[in-house]
Amino acid sequence: MGSETPQGSESGGRPAIAGGEPLFPCKVPILKPDIPPLDPLLGDLRSVIASGMLTNGPKVQKFERTIAEFLGVREVVAVSSCTAGLMLTFRALGLRGEVVLPSFTFHATGSALLWNNLIPVFADCDPDTFCIDPQRVEENITERTAGILAVHMYGHPAKARELEELARKYSLPLIFDAAHAFGARYHGVPVGGFGCAEVFSLSPTKLITSAEGGLVATNDPKLAKLMRAGRNYGDPGTYDPELLGLNARMSELHATLGLHTFNRIQENVQARNMIRLRYEKGFSSLPGLSFQKIHSWAQSTCKDFSVLVDPEPFGMSRDLLCDALAAENVETKKYFYPPLHRQKQFSPYYRPQVDPLVVTDKISSRVLSFPIYSALSVADVDGICEAVKGIQGYVSKLSVEEHGHLLARASLAVAR
Ligand SMILES: *Cc1c(COP(=O)(O)O)cnc(C)c1O
């Protein structure tokens, strides 16, 4: 992609935020969906449309069977989104009371609980993998606890066996928000079969996509049956709903797209892991940057590549780095900031005296997620690493006063 090739430093190494030329002439987006070859896809879509069967048809069934086989689970129920899948899972389980979940996650994880009048109880995450810490989960369990909801952060599996053990010990259902984790493995076993259900997202920000969609994987046929009713207004086909449902069906067109993107999952996971390693190597010489630890037992999907910026040794804040990269035409995001317990919807449930969420606050205030997708070139990854080095080198040499000027300039640029 010539248009995105870094331009080098004609401006004497001055970063764009300090008035230099942007390193990238065109914006490098944080994500690009992995689009399958168009001709076969369009052929399939054409025959679906010509068949007149646009929903409740064979493509969704085929998609569900294909995924169930790939994951090694008994049942997969395709739904309209991961959020709807989580909402319906908790509805189908009929839980009441509190559910222990991480605060370091996307807000939809917690919304699924609020939609079911369940009370979110936030447990801190582990500083290595950024996933919920089983020990913190146990500390948050009381007689009011009705379930555990874990997240495979950025596609790194949560500690599934430890969590399953806790779930058994306290007789609690364990559900995974597996939005990031399609293609992940835990000790070689595909993520998807742990707990009583794992819910994947197929939105375009994730590795396989049906434009919009979700997949609920479970080894419990009774739960699967309720989920099939749940996505269909709660109606199992009797015109007499079994539960309060939604219309959360996946259309035949979406399932067709999902099947085509699924074909590319292995390459996609591999490409993202290569990119992650290249970033880690590129950033290794810089002080104050650290990464999510990928355990030897884990295959991560690298849905995101996130860096923690420790402002003292790095010489600047995460926020200033974000603004400086934006000036270089590199898009980054703060996944996930603010954490749930600092958001309007969830802050009333934060109980600092029980779990102060120290690790969550620390990670969340330092995290910055970089562009990662299978089509991102090595040259662009290297260019982004150079951009960070250039910015850090420049900023770390500024006087306190000059640093202040730069901050003012950055906030003006952001306000514009
Ligand atoms: C993307 C995401 C969701 C929501 O998925 P949708 O399919 O868009 O509903 C839920 N949880 C996490 C952790 C996510 O990243």
Side-chain angles (χ1 to χ4, degrees):
M1 257 169 250
S3 60
E4 285 178 6
T5 308
Q7 294 207 311
S9 47
E10 300 114 53
S11 40
R14 207 148 33 97
I17 198 166
E21 280 296 312
L23 198 57
F24 289 88
C26 301
K27 181 167 150 180
V28 183
I30 187 162
L31 63 93
K32 263 188 204 167
D34 188 85
I35 302 293
L38 274 185
D39 283 343
L41 169 63
L42 292 175
D44 264 7
L45 289 171
R46 183 187 286 271
S47 30
V48 169
I49 294 170
S51 77
M53 227 355 180
L54 301 182
T55 193
N56 291 327
K59 282 291 181 194
V60 167
Q61 275 176 28
K62 181 176 176 198
F63 191 31
E64 291 179 341
R65 275 199 307 273
T66 305
I67 300 297
E69 195 174 310
F70 174 78
L71 298 177
V73 298
R74 284 180 71 167
E75 298 267 6
V76 166
V77 181
V79 288
S80 56
S81 71
C82 173
T83 308
L86 287 167
M87 284 164 66
L88 287 171
T89 301
F90 284 99
R91 179 61 56 159
L93 291 168
L95 306 185
R96 279 155 187 276
E98 300 180 351
V99 173
V100 182
L101 79 164
S103 169
F104 188 69
T105 182
F106 184 55
H107 44 62
T109 313
S111 314
L113 302 178
L114 297 185
W115 273 101
N116 283 289
N117 291 323
L118 288 160
I119 297 166
V121 170
F122 297 115
D124 213 349
C125 56
D126 125 43
D128 293 340
T129 64
F130 311 169
C131 294
I132 199 167
D133 182 342
Q135 204 177 321
R136 296 279 100 77
V137 172
E138 185 161 24
E139 287 163 13
N140 278 283
I141 292 175
T142 67
E143 68 282 358
R144 295 181 301 277
T145 309
I148 303 167
L149 173 54
V151 181
H152 304 298
M153 186 48 59
Y154 309 141
H156 187 294
K159 291 189 173 145
R161 290 288 172 226
E162 282 97 324
L163 291 166
E164 283 189 336
E165 228 140 83
L166 280 180
R168 239 190 319 273
K169 179 170 170 189
Y170 295 96
S171 302
L172 296 169
L174 168 64
I175 295 93
F176 289 92
D177 176 341
H180 300 175
F182 195 93
R185 284 171 186 270
Y186 175 87
H187 288 287
V189 179
V191 160
F194 295 100
C196 44
E198 300 214 47
V199 186
F200 298 97
S201 170
L202 307 182
S203 91
T205 63
K206 313 293 157 71
L207 272 77
I208 70 167
T209 181
S210 55
E212 296 288 355
L215 296 166
V216 183
T218 179
N219 286 308
D220 176 353
K222 271 208 274 204
L223 179 62
K225 200 163 166 230
L226 267 178
M227 295 299 296
R228 289 184 200 286
R231 73 175 172 190
N232 191 53
Y233 324 100
D235 182 353
T238 56
Y239 265 60
D240 186 4
E242 308 255 300
L243 74 164
L244 185 58
L246 297 166
N247 176 353
R249 295 185 301 261
M250 177 180 285
S251 82
E252 290 288 284
L253 297 169
H254 291 87
T256 303
L257 177 55
L259 275 163
H260 280 257
T261 60
F262 165 71
N263 286 332
R264 302 163 64 79
I265 186 69
Q266 314 273 24
E267 291 86 343
N268 199 343
V269 169
Q270 257 169 28
R272 284 164 180 265
N273 273 284
M274 298 294 291
I275 292 169
R276 164 182 71 84
L277 288 169
R278 191 143 190 122
Y279 270 128
E280 287 183 0
K281 195 158 158 251
F283 289 151
S284 61
S285 62
L286 288 169
L289 296 187
S290 58
F291 321 108
Q292 181 190 34
K293 178 178 171 159
I294 311 290
H295 279 284
S296 56
W297 46 263
Q299 172 170 291
S300 174
T301 62
C302 301
K303 204 289 274 176
D304 296 300
F305 175 72
S306 300
V307 171
L308 300 187
V309 182
D310 185 348
E312 290 295 321
F314 190 68
M316 67 195 289
S317 69
R318 177 272 311 266
D319 291 347
L320 184 55
L321 178 60
C322 175
D323 295 344
L325 284 167
E328 306 291 353
N329 273 328
V330 177
E331 185 182 28
T332 58
K333 296 265 183 186
K334 298 160 191 175
Y335 290 147
F336 290 94
Y337 171 85
L340 268 58
H341 71 284
R342 306 253 173 231
Q343 296 178 16
K344 286 193 281 296
Q345 299 242 47
F346 299 103
S347 56
Y349 303 99
Y350 175 35
R351 290 184 293 195
Q353 64 291 357
V354 183
D355 196 328
L357 304 173
V358 176
V359 179
T360 297
D361 272 330
K362 184 165 161 189
I363 293 175
S364 192
S365 64
R366 293 179 175 185
V367 76
L368 193 63
S369 307
F370 282 76
I372 190 163
Y373 38 89
S374 53
L376 185 66
S377 70
V378 166
D380 283 348
V381 176
D382 292 350
I384 293 167
C385 292
E386 285 312 309
V388 173
K389 282 180 201 161
I391 292 163
Q392 195 270 346
Y394 179 85
V395 173
S396 62
K397 288 191 197 79
L398 296 179
S399 68
V400 173
E401 194 185 341
E402 287 165 334
H403 196 111
H405 285 316
L406 196 67
L407 279 173
R409 191 173 176 142
S411 55
L412 275 179
V414 169
R416 248 188 273 122

